[in-house]
Amino acid sequence: MSFFGKMFGKKGEAAPTTGEAIQKLRETENMLIKKQEFLESKIEAELDIARKNGTKNKRVAIQALKRKKKYEKQLQQIDGTLSTIEMQREALESANTNTAVLQTMKNAADALKAAHNHMDVDQIHDMMDDIAEQQNIATEISDAISNPVPFGQDVDEDELEKELEELEQEELDKELLGVGPSATELPEVPSDEIKEKAKEKKKATAADADDKDLKELMAWAE
């Protein structure tokens, strides 16, 4: 197979992948770089011949310079070829990177699509509504638990207000009328003192009765 056949393949063959093409370009680059090094060494050798024979053998020196010019032309061609190959390789590497990125993105999109296929948007909305409702119920329960239990809520506030007004009016009436202490507030009299006063009263009553009888008897005697 010719060089171009090896390089580009036979007609009808499947095109190489980007990875294979990049590998081939790198191999070609390495081959051309070695060719460059060879030509550079040949140019340096011809220069040495020209220097050594410049004054001794002019014909030999000129022939060496001609060969040097030929090698330099080949070297220049190789430099141009390397630049083209390097540009192609970089373009293929960039394309290969883009292909890998796009394939990754496609795989991610397919995976996302597959994940969404298992989801129903209406069911998701219903689920979110249920979650919100349960959160509201939980909040109400927390509020109910945290609030203190009201005491005496069954008492009529209006009735208490009325009773308070009556008490205030009663106190006001007492102040205006100057009412003294009630019977329940009178000081308690000792029972011994009451009994003693009763005996004295009884004695006084008996003495009065005796005095009365004496007076009647004296009046009858006269």
Side-chain angles (χ1 to χ4, degrees):
M1 185 181 291
S2 65
F3 172 77
F4 289 105
K6 292 179 180 179
M7 190 70 184
F8 300 107
K10 293 182 179 180
K11 188 176 181 180
E13 289 183 355
T17 63
T18 52
E20 291 172 346
I22 290 170
Q23 183 61 32
K24 288 290 185 183
L25 288 172
R26 284 176 178 168
E27 291 175 359
T28 303
E29 276 183 296
N30 291 332
M31 179 189 68
L32 291 175
I33 289 171
K34 289 178 180 179
K35 184 68 174 178
Q36 269 185 328
E37 294 172 352
F38 173 75
L39 290 174
E40 288 172 352
S41 64
K42 293 293 287 183
I43 291 171
E44 190 63 31
E46 297 299 335
L47 281 173
D48 287 339
I49 294 172
R51 290 192 193 101
K52 291 177 181 179
N53 294 279
T55 57
K56 299 176 182 179
N57 193 339
K58 187 176 181 180
R59 186 179 64 82
V60 173
I62 290 175
Q63 292 296 324
L65 290 175
K66 286 182 179 179
R67 291 191 296 271
K68 180 183 79 71
K69 290 290 185 181
K70 183 182 65 173
Y71 296 145
E72 287 177 343
K73 186 176 180 181
Q74 292 178 6
L75 185 61
Q76 186 177 5
Q77 290 174 340
I78 290 174
D79 287 340
T81 304
L82 276 173
S83 297
T84 303
I85 290 176
E86 183 179 2
M87 182 179 63
Q88 274 191 313
R89 177 178 55 77
E90 289 176 351
L92 279 172
E93 287 175 344
S94 178
N96 196 34
T97 301
N98 292 336
T99 301
V101 171
L102 289 174
Q103 185 61 45
T104 302
M105 293 175 65
K106 182 180 182 303
N107 293 340
D110 292 341
L112 190 61
K113 183 178 179 181
H116 286 164
N117 287 337
H118 296 290
M119 300 180 184
D120 188 301
V121 176
D122 294 334
Q123 290 179 351
I124 293 173
H125 284 303
D126 292 341
M127 181 183 67
M128 297 305 296
D129 291 340
D130 290 340
I131 292 173
E133 182 180 357
Q134 294 304 317
Q135 287 178 339
N136 292 333
I137 293 173
T139 301
E140 292 178 4
I141 292 173
S142 298
D143 292 341
I145 293 173
S146 61
N147 290 331
V149 178
F151 178 74
Q153 229 177 9
D154 55 341
V155 178
D156 189 349
E157 295 289 337
D158 294 336
E159 183 179 347
L160 294 177
E161 291 286 345
K162 184 178 180 181
E163 183 177 352
L164 180 59
E165 289 177 2
E166 290 176 355
L167 291 174
E168 291 176 347
Q169 186 62 43
E170 184 179 343
E171 291 297 321
L172 183 60
D173 292 343
K174 286 181 181 181
E175 292 178 3
L176 294 175
L177 298 176
V179 178
S182 61
T184 58
E185 297 175 351
L186 292 175
E188 183 179 356
V189 179
S191 58
D192 293 340
E193 185 177 349
I194 294 175
K195 291 179 181 180
E196 188 65 29
K197 287 183 178 182
K199 288 179 180 180
E200 290 178 0
K201 185 177 181 180
K202 186 177 181 181
K203 289 179 180 180
T205 303
D208 291 342
D210 292 341
D211 189 40
K212 183 178 179 182
D213 292 340
L214 181 60
K215 287 181 179 180
E216 288 180 355
L217 180 59
M218 291 177 66
W220 180 75
E222 294 179 353

